[in-house]
Amino acid sequence: MRPVSFAAWLGLATVVLFGITACPETIDPPVPLPPGVRIVPNNGDTSVVERGTRAEEGSANYLRVEWELLDISTYPIDEYRVFLAFDTNADDTPDSGFRYIGNVPPEQNYFIDQHRGIDSTFFYLVGAVDSRGRMSDTSVYFLPDSFATYVNAFKLGYKVGFLNIVDDQSGFDDSVTTKPTFQWCLGRGFPLPNRYVVKVFTPSFQLVYLAQVPHRNFDDPGACLNATLDHLTFHPESYSPNDTLTNDSLKALADVTVHYVNPIYTDGTRLKKGDYVWRVDAIYAPGYESKSRLSSFTVTRDGP
């Protein structure tokens, strides 16, 4: 996203809704305001442990906003308050004014924002509130040197659908032998991501497999039929054209990048017997992504 201009920063101070900026009470001795709250950006789509502001998996358009106090040594706070602004002019600036959208208790450092629109930029900031009802001094959030620390932008992308498993031996099924091929399709007419990230988990969400692959720009009347599905075949080190059902139907992708494989759940290039779930993340740009629903499958035996 384009950097916000200095003029836009100065203008933000006039559009923030009344009540978001708290002022110190006149008390003796003075008690400082609660500390500022930094929204944590996404730590990367290929990280083993997901952290930061990000899309939530599933069919609904949910967004998870995470944060941390910049100074944790001050007195305890009573709650966090979350504020949202819209990019109404599509200029990558929060030009709608921030409005309050919810609060969470002090032991919770995240907020799930529900039912946000696809392909629109949203800006979030969070204030900490003490037992007197006084909030962080959010006026400093909009200074040129502070804006990127306190205000975080995010954009929900279109979700991948048509998730399917192709067995290396038995064809279409939700149960496979040892080396499944994962297939998916975004559909026609949507903005294309620059890459997909495929993650496989156990049912208790232990990460098993993490890999990424570039999108394929199909413009085909049969989009999302078998021959036009994006895909990759499970392999812990690289992708080999010989691992496909047929080089024609699977296009023999040669540039899958594998970032993580948990050896507890693998035997060489094979998945061990057990139940698994998987999803596909569509990565459009930093802070612009989606996560598909989770889909389950079963590996029915060990060995080749």
Side-chain angles (χ1 to χ4, degrees):
M1 295 182 185
R2 299 192 305 272
V4 179
S5 68
F6 181 68
W9 273 317
L10 294 179
L12 285 172
T14 64
V15 298
V16 177
L17 294 182
F18 177 77
I20 190 173
T21 303
C23 299
E25 294 179 352
T26 304
I27 52 180
D28 189 20
V31 177
L33 286 172
V37 181
R38 171 183 175 267
I39 295 183
V40 180
N42 191 291
N43 66 344
D45 49 83
T46 56
S47 299
V48 175
V49 178
E50 294 181 22
R51 185 169 181 264
T53 301
R54 58 191 184 271
E56 288 278 272
E57 69 265 355
S59 57
N61 299 327
Y62 290 1
L63 197 154
R64 181 187 182 97
V65 184
E66 287 190 1
W67 58 79
E68 60 189 10
L69 289 172
L70 287 184
D71 182 2
I72 61 174
S73 64
T74 55
Y75 55 88
I77 62 169
D78 197 58
E79 67 175 10
Y80 292 105
R81 293 177 185 170
V82 184
F83 299 85
L84 169 73
F86 298 92
D87 177 14
T88 57
N89 296 322
D91 58 0
D92 294 332
T93 60
D95 42 32
S96 70
F98 283 84
R99 63 182 180 88
Y100 169 79
I101 59 171
N103 67 302
V104 297
E107 64 272 13
Q108 183 172 319
N109 72 329
Y110 67 91
F111 178 82
I112 304 298
D113 195 10
Q114 302 183 6
H115 306 298
R116 291 299 164 200
I118 297 295
D119 231 22
S120 297
T121 301
F122 303 100
F123 292 83
Y124 296 88
L125 64 82
V126 179
V129 181
D130 65 13
S131 60
R132 295 181 175 88
R134 304 177 319 139
M135 194 166 65
S136 311
D137 182 7
T138 55
S139 65
V140 302
Y141 287 21
F142 300 104
L143 299 176
D145 293 336
S146 304
F147 187 85
T149 298
Y150 294 106
V151 180
N152 190 263
F154 197 90
K155 197 178 206 181
L156 286 168
Y158 287 89
K159 289 179 179 287
V160 166
F162 302 93
L163 276 71
N164 189 47
I165 291 285
V166 178
D167 192 348
D168 60 346
Q169 294 182 18
S170 63
F172 288 90
D173 201 348
D174 59 0
S175 61
V176 298
T177 53
T178 58
K179 203 169 186 180
T181 290
F182 304 97
Q183 292 185 332
W184 64 91
C185 185
L186 183 62
R188 299 184 66 195
F190 298 117
L192 290 171
N194 60 37
R195 64 190 180 280
Y196 296 108
V197 175
V198 177
K199 292 187 177 183
V200 179
F201 306 88
T202 66
S204 60
F205 291 98
Q206 295 291 316
L207 184 62
V208 175
Y209 181 61
L210 165 60
Q212 68 175 353
V213 61
H215 74 80
R216 296 187 298 166
N217 186 7
F218 278 108
D219 187 11
D220 188 298
C224 294
L225 297 179
N226 185 33
T228 60
L229 292 172
D230 285 283
H231 63 276
L232 63 80
T233 298
F234 179 87
H235 195 290
E237 295 180 358
S238 63
Y239 185 91
S240 169
N242 295 327
D243 291 333
T244 65
L245 288 172
T246 68
N247 287 344
D248 178 60
S249 65
L250 294 183
K251 308 298 182 186
L253 291 172
D255 47 4
V256 171
T257 303
V258 177
H259 295 271
Y260 176 81
V261 174
N262 191 331
I264 295 176
Y265 302 101
T266 62
D267 181 12
T269 62
R270 304 283 176 170
L271 275 172
K272 291 182 178 179
K273 182 179 179 180
D275 296 323
Y276 300 92
V277 295
W278 68 291
R279 74 162 197 253
V280 180
D281 302 351
I283 310 301
Y284 296 84
Y288 181 15
E289 66 174 32
S290 69
K291 291 180 171 62
S292 76
R293 65 178 175 85
L294 292 167
S295 184
S296 60
F297 67 98
T298 299
V299 173
T300 56
R301 62 181 175 83
D302 290 320

